[in-house]
Amino acid sequence: MNRVSLFFLLFLISQFSYGQFRIKGKVTDAETGDPIPFAAVLIKGTGTGMNTDFEGFYDLEIKEAADSIQVSYLGYITQVKPISNSPEQTINFQLRPSDFELEAFVFEAGENPAFEIIRQAVERRKDFDKRSLEAYETKNYTKIEIDIDHLSEEFRQRKTVQKVTSVLDSIRQLTNDEGEKILPVFFSETVSRFYFRNNPLLRKEIVEKSKVTGVGITDGSTTSQITGSAFQEYNFYRNWLTILEKEFVSPIADGWKTFYDYDLMDSVLVGQDTCYQLQVYPRREQDLAFSGTIWIKKEDYSLKQVDLTVPNSANLNFIERIKIQQELEPTEKGPLIPKRTRVQIKIGQVTPNTAGLLAKFYTATDSVKLSEPKATKFFNNAVELKPDFGEASEEFWAANRMDPLSSEELAVLQMVDTLKKIPVIRFYSEGLKFFATGFLPVGKIDLGPWTEFGNYNNVEGLRGGFGLRTNYKFSKKWAFQGYLAYGFKDQRFKYSVSAKNILDRKHWTTLELKSTREIDQVGLEMESLEGNSIFLAASRFGTLRRPFISTSQQLNFDREFFKGFLFRTGIRRAQFDPLFDFYFIEKGTGELKSDFQTTEWRASLRYGRDEIILINDNERSSLGPSKWPILELNYARGFDWLGGEIDYQKLSFYLYQRLNMGLFGVSRYELDAGKVFGEVPYPILKNHLGNETLFYTTAAFNTMNFNEFASDQFISLRYRHFFEGFLLNRIPLMRRLKWRAVANANFLMGSVSDQNINNIPAFGPDGTALESFGRLDPTRPYIELGYGIENIFKFFRVDFFHRMTYLDMPEARPFVVKVSAQIIL
């Protein structure tokens, strides 16, 4: 080979190597193992670099040898690693979060250049808000992972924890030596179809396939309804985003200048689009606002992608970090649909000796269709499961995952499956569920509620009992429930038995027969407390006020005709047997009676336009409304036949709404009004609930005494406002305490007709003075005003109430202090 040929060959080899020098890898969070999108990757000493994609990957070809590669991203410690001589190599990075302070930017002349960009983006919000579309549908893939983290050494040394870690030590760790150990307890994947229509605003998700594995998870159908994309919506084109029932202001909200500062960092190419890269900062670090980076397209000022964090300086409890990363893509009509969304919620330790929690949510959207709006009746159920939702092969998941599971996620699945089989884990998870729900699943039945197992009060003395109910494993058509209790002092048995047939699950339709014999209290009837087992148990403890034996049989029918519109009707026969000195003058005979029977037909209409309802086994569960009020209209007719002795009618109206007041916090109000037609004993009237205890409750008038007032026509308004951090965040010495101001205003107007006053004698047959009730002046409202502080040491709340009217009543309390404990974020 001559020199020319040799030179030519070496030239070709050098050129081949020159074009094939390639470095790729993945950038992840060292604490969570999650990918870090949009991070800057730079070959040091050259101008070659790129940003990681949404999954944290990068892939670089370089034209000259270099000795190191650097990765940096705001909020993380920059990391540098050496490059080897290999023509193709993989270098992964695990970045650790850094504590950084928000910088103050000073502009010498003119307006901050970022302001005009934000102003243009805000002005064009309606052009890109997906809610402006008439209708659309998408195919979504959602995965959720929940881990226990902050595994302190003291926590790991506990005997129960050691039993777990000894089993898991044989399984590979989720992060390498640069990461921290986590203990996964839940993992789910869901493929669903999401439907939206405007005017009226309706949403629906049909879960096609779902795979759920988790510690303590026994019913996939219930869990699968909340693991889809319907509960993972983050729309930054709204002024306020609701996260964990808190309202966070968007960086492109109408009042953006009130909440945020901005810095124009660069002009960058994202995919095929040239974008402004802006850094956003809360003006006040305690506000519920985001910090991080947003990318706005130069062409039309639409959002391209966001990487935003709620820092731990915000006025939140237990939350160390909320991080939202999102990529958006335009539809053919212009408005944007999130293509990928990743959310991390990191919950810190409640106490130093406990562990923290890390929740990760990921949603990918595909197959966007701008279709004709579906009929309103299609949206009857907010979440619907296909009959075979739990049956899917591994081939199906491999084909329908928009991104394959990482090696870390595969390890999560293995660890969760292992955890579920550890006896101590099963014991604690079942115990927590038993405490929370009141029932312990044992095959096809549930034992409970535990509140019926034991109690003590002045009437029954020591009370013992036992109950059970069937669950969905027994039948999805029939549900049976009952309990039996015995009071050792009064020597009476109490019981409740019911049988319910579920006629239709799509338009929730049930028929229920129920029989009960129980101790009740005037104004605090057990029927009104159903579903609140802990409060019900507390109301039966200690001294019972105006107790009576209630024996009833009832037949109830429920049907949801369309989304949010529920019709209820039924007939109830009840016997009132007082356990206190009580008499009334019987209409017609003029005789004194102490007991009476009623036969009552009832009908009610309930409408919650955007109330989210889930079918939890054989029960309906409400997650509450998001914007619109809930309305109820109730009617009851008491007959003096079919065993009934009293003829009357009752009509009532109820309205509840949660109001987002933006900067000023959140309000809730309840409007309640009613009227009783006819002459009745006062236990049938509206006995307004007072509160003589030390503890605050939203269900009562907190300065009113028990059984102080009753009415046969009334209207009441209970208003509560939560300022969040609006007031106290602005006081320098108090903002670090993260206290939050609250306010209450309760109003009541009512009256009692003469006929219902005159049927109550002053004395019984033996001359004993009888307890009565106070009357409200129809021209003078009962008013109490309150103010207080919540979030004291993260748990406690103190309220101060002033009784403004009826101060001349016997034993009136003009000022009271109420305390309560709560776990709030």
Side-chain angles (χ1 to χ4, degrees), residues 691-757:
N691 179 15
E692 296 181 28
T693 72
L694 176 64
F695 303 104
Y696 168 73
T697 176
T698 62
F701 292 89
N702 286 278
T703 60
M704 186 184 292
N705 296 318
F706 290 119
N707 302 115
E708 185 173 356
F709 295 105
S711 303
D712 57 19
Q713 59 181 358
F714 69 95
I715 182 170
S716 70
L717 174 66
R718 293 196 297 274
Y719 183 86
R720 308 186 300 277
H721 185 76
F722 304 84
F723 287 98
E724 299 294 349
F726 171 65
L727 294 176
L728 301 184
N729 275 2
R730 286 155 175 78
I731 302 176
L733 297 179
M734 298 188 68
R735 67 177 57 165
R736 294 187 179 277
L737 296 174
K738 294 189 177 182
W739 289 1
R740 304 168 194 166
V742 294
N744 292 268
N746 298 326
F747 302 85
L748 170 65
M749 294 204 59
S751 63
V752 184
S753 62
D754 291 340
Q755 62 182 359
N756 284 324
I757 294 172

Side-chain angles (χ1 to χ4, degrees), residues 546-601:
R546 302 192 184 186
F548 64 95
I549 296 293
S550 173
T551 307
S552 66
Q553 298 81 39
Q554 53 188 307
L555 179 67
N556 301 315
F557 174 80
D558 289 12
R559 180 170 177 82
E560 185 178 46
F561 283 98
F562 56 87
K563 178 177 171 53
F565 187 82
L566 182 68
F567 171 71
R568 291 175 174 168
T569 188
I571 189 166
R572 180 177 185 265
R573 184 180 180 278
Q575 171 78 31
F576 178 93
D577 292 307
L579 300 177
F580 65 102
D581 290 332
F582 165 78
Y583 290 92
F584 69 98
I585 301 173
E586 186 178 32
K587 184 179 178 180
T589 67
E591 297 179 357
L592 291 183
K593 289 195 65 177
S594 61
D595 57 8
F596 58 86
Q597 294 181 350
T598 60
T599 299
E600 192 175 85
W601 171 70

Side-chain angles (χ1 to χ4, degrees), residues 49-309:
M50 66 174 296
N51 289 334
T52 56
D53 64 14
F54 196 77
E55 300 306 318
F57 290 106
Y58 71 92
D59 192 336
L60 284 169
E61 287 188 1
I62 60 176
K63 298 180 179 180
E64 54 186 298
D67 61 357
S68 61
I69 181 172
Q70 172 184 292
V71 173
S72 60
Y73 194 63
L74 186 70
Y76 290 87
I77 299 172
T78 298
Q79 193 174 68
V80 179
K81 288 192 174 184
I83 298 175
S84 68
N85 293 324
S86 173
E88 239 185 74
Q89 53 191 295
T90 299
I91 303 178
N92 295 323
F93 289 83
Q94 292 80 28
L95 302 186
R96 287 190 172 277
S98 65
D99 295 325
F100 66 96
E101 295 184 1
L102 302 181
E103 299 180 24
F105 291 89
V106 179
F107 297 92
E108 298 297 337
E111 185 184 48
N112 181 344
F115 285 2
E116 179 58 24
I117 299 171
I118 295 296
R119 189 177 292 113
Q120 291 288 341
V122 171
E123 287 179 359
R124 301 201 60 183
R125 281 173 53 203
K126 290 184 179 179
D127 297 338
F128 303 111
D129 189 345
K130 61 183 179 179
R131 294 175 297 171
S132 64
L133 292 169
E134 188 176 2
Y136 69 84
E137 61 182 87
T138 61
K139 180 183 178 181
N140 296 339
Y141 168 76
T142 305
K143 60 185 174 185
I144 300 175
E145 178 185 337
I146 300 177
D147 309 313
I148 295 175
D149 69 349
H150 289 309
L151 297 175
S152 65
E153 189 60 32
E154 186 174 350
F155 181 82
R156 292 174 63 88
Q157 291 304 316
R158 295 181 181 181
K159 289 184 178 180
T160 53
V161 178
Q162 284 181 339
K163 293 179 182 179
V164 176
T165 55
S166 62
V167 176
L168 297 179
D169 281 344
S170 60
I171 302 175
R172 58 156 293 188
Q173 295 299 321
L174 297 183
T175 57
N176 64 9
D177 294 337
E178 297 176 88
E180 294 182 358
K181 294 180 180 179
I182 59 175
L183 189 65
V185 293
F186 179 89
F187 191 85
S188 71
E189 294 182 274
T190 304
V191 173
S192 62
R193 281 277 176 187
F194 181 79
Y195 299 85
F196 169 91
R197 70 161 290 171
N198 211 337
N199 194 26
L201 190 64
L202 297 170
R203 298 179 178 88
K204 179 171 183 172
E205 183 174 31
I206 297 179
V207 175
E208 297 181 343
K209 298 294 180 182
S210 178
K211 182 168 63 172
V212 177
T213 182
V215 175
I217 302 298
T218 56
D219 174 32
S221 65
T222 302
T223 309
S224 294
Q225 292 179 76
I226 59 176
T227 55
S229 60
F231 299 94
Q232 317 303 330
E233 186 180 59
Y234 303 90
N235 183 2
F236 286 92
Y237 278 96
R238 297 180 59 183
N239 283 325
W240 297 85
L241 286 77
T242 303
I243 307 173
L244 301 174
E245 296 191 348
K246 295 289 185 181
E247 302 292 336
F248 296 82
V249 63
S250 169
I252 56 170
D254 286 332
W256 54 274
K257 214 167 186 179
T258 304
F259 298 95
Y260 286 103
D261 275 326
Y262 304 83
D263 180 42
L264 177 58
M265 303 291 290
D266 202 353
S267 178
V268 296
L269 190 66
V270 181
Q272 302 299 316
D273 300 307
T274 304
C275 299
Y276 297 110
Q277 181 180 344
L278 291 94
Q279 208 67 39
V280 302
Y281 312 90
R283 283 186 175 269
R284 292 168 296 275
E285 61 180 8
Q286 285 83 11
D287 283 354
L288 299 186
F290 300 96
S291 65
T293 309
I294 61 176
W295 289 260
I296 296 176
K297 288 169 63 175
K298 278 188 175 182
E299 179 186 4
D300 55 15
Y301 294 95
S302 63
L303 275 179
K304 177 65 176 178
Q305 58 192 26
V306 303
D307 187 359
L308 297 171
T309 300

Side-chain angles (χ1 to χ4, degrees), residues 751-772:
S751 63
V752 184
S753 62
D754 291 340
Q755 62 182 359
N756 284 324
I757 294 172
N758 296 332
N759 68 15
I760 302 174
F763 300 95
D766 58 357
T768 304
L770 301 178
E771 289 185 274
S772 184

Side-chain angles (χ1 to χ4, degrees), residues 748 780-784 802-809 812:
L748 170 65
R780 184 164 57 122
Y782 182 95
I783 301 175
E784 65 179 23
H802 296 268
R803 178 165 169 162
M804 311 303 295
T805 56
Y806 293 91
L807 299 175
D808 54 345
M809 296 291 291

